[in-house]
Amino acid sequence: MEDMAIKILFDDEDDIETNTIFNSSDILSTIACAFHVFPRDKVPRIRQFVEDTIPRFSDGDFRHHFRIDRTTFEIILQHLAPHLLSQTPKGKEQLATDKQLLLFLCILTLSREIIIQWPDPARQNDIAASFQLSCGLPNIIGIIDGTHIRLSAPVIVDDNLLITSAQTGWPGCSHDARILRNSGIFAKAEVGQLIPHNKHIIGDSAYPLKRWLITPFRDNGHLTDRQSRFNRVLSSCRQSVERGIGHLKGRFRRIREVPFHNPEHICLFIIAACKLHNLCIIHEDSIEEFVDFNPAHILHPNQYQNVYPNAADGVARRNHLMNI
């Protein structure tokens, strides 16, 4: 398969360029694809495993096997069950919805409005206050970064590691800045929408400096003490996105090597993992045991410097933040 990349950019809820809102036929076609990828013809059958064995699992065993708590599983099943029930049953007896969910947990999709959405103004204020307490910089409402998942993904997370928007489908060799510039979040932020004038997100040096996107000073060997300290503070604050990516890839390990060849199926698969990640955060399903800090799994391979000019109002804002 051609090496590709998924940029988990946290786009707003109306402007994802790839297909991130899926109906029941999308879900079922992707499930069918996965079963085709993992043929089971020669594997001995275990009868009544879901009915008899899984109910006897301890909570720890259930969590170990399926990567989520039982309570989170039941919440997901409640949302997804109507989409998994065939409206025109025919042929073989339909598989029970809980079996479908257990078999295909890693590619669930739920209502995008419920699971992945841009924070409203009140939530933005909460995020900014939390980041200011943790790293001292004001008005941060998200952190963006890229990660490699065969397709590539820039990711914006909030202070709770929650993914607030997602974009998939760009080749892995694509520059992070190019992907951002072709996203809905860039277009809206440039005209003063989505990110309030007094707020911003932060990113690494691959991204252009904007009023709404703060990046570190480029280290040319002649940084002042203040500039160096600002870079250290920004780097410390950016650890949230690294932990978020580490959790996503640590809990749902299949996305390290996606088993599909169809780009549409790959995008569907990764968006599903992002939504499951958010469900685990929302329902306080512990994440620490799954966070993977292996650099080979977390870091984006395209460590390019920004190739676009810095905006004058971005330079002014960064200098203001440095001075305070």
Side-chain angles (χ1 to χ4, degrees), residues 125-155:
N125 289 335
D126 291 340
I127 295 170
S130 178
F131 275 127
Q132 185 164 5
L133 282 174
S134 64
C135 66
L137 291 176
N139 300 322
I140 298 171
I141 62 170
I143 307 174
I144 186 172
D145 200 1
T147 188
H148 195 256
I149 315 178
R150 295 292 280 180
L151 287 169
S152 193
V155 182

Side-chain angles (χ1 to χ4, degrees), residues 204-242:
D204 61 23
S205 57
Y207 296 101
L209 178 63
K210 296 285 185 179
R211 173 201 60 78
W212 52 270
L213 172 55
I214 303 301
T215 61
F217 289 95
R218 185 171 182 175
D219 190 354
N220 55 10
H222 301 286
L223 294 181
T224 67
D225 289 343
R226 278 190 172 186
Q227 289 171 334
S228 295
R229 182 177 183 278
F230 177 84
N231 282 1
R232 289 195 300 271
V233 172
L234 205 68
S235 176
S236 174
C237 206
R238 287 188 57 256
Q239 289 181 8
S240 291
V241 75
E242 293 171 0

Side-chain angles (χ1 to χ4, degrees), residues 6 19 22 30 33-34 38 104-109 149 151 168 248 252-260 262-276:
I6 289 178
N19 182 16
F22 309 111
T30 309
C33 174
F38 302 113
F104 210 70
L105 185 59
C106 58
I107 61 167
L108 287 175
T109 58
I149 315 178
L151 287 169
T168 67
L248 180 67
F252 308 115
R253 293 172 292 183
R254 175 52 64 185
I255 63 173
R256 298 177 189 170
E257 284 291 332
V258 178
F260 309 129
N262 183 316
E264 183 177 353
H265 291 154
I266 297 172
C267 293
L268 229 169
F269 190 90
I270 294 170
I271 293 295
C274 292
K275 293 179 177 182
L276 278 173

Side-chain angles (χ1 to χ4, degrees), residues 190-208:
E190 283 289 270
V191 296
Q193 300 176 13
L194 204 62
I195 301 176
H197 188 76
N198 64 331
K199 299 290 195 301
H200 45 262
I201 62 176
I202 63 175
D204 61 23
S205 57
Y207 296 101

Side-chain angles (χ1 to χ4, degrees), residues 79-96:
H79 280 287
L80 193 59
H83 299 287
L84 294 178
L85 288 170
S86 174
Q87 302 303 312
T88 56
K90 56 184 177 180
K92 291 184 178 180
E93 182 181 355
Q94 184 175 1
L95 204 62

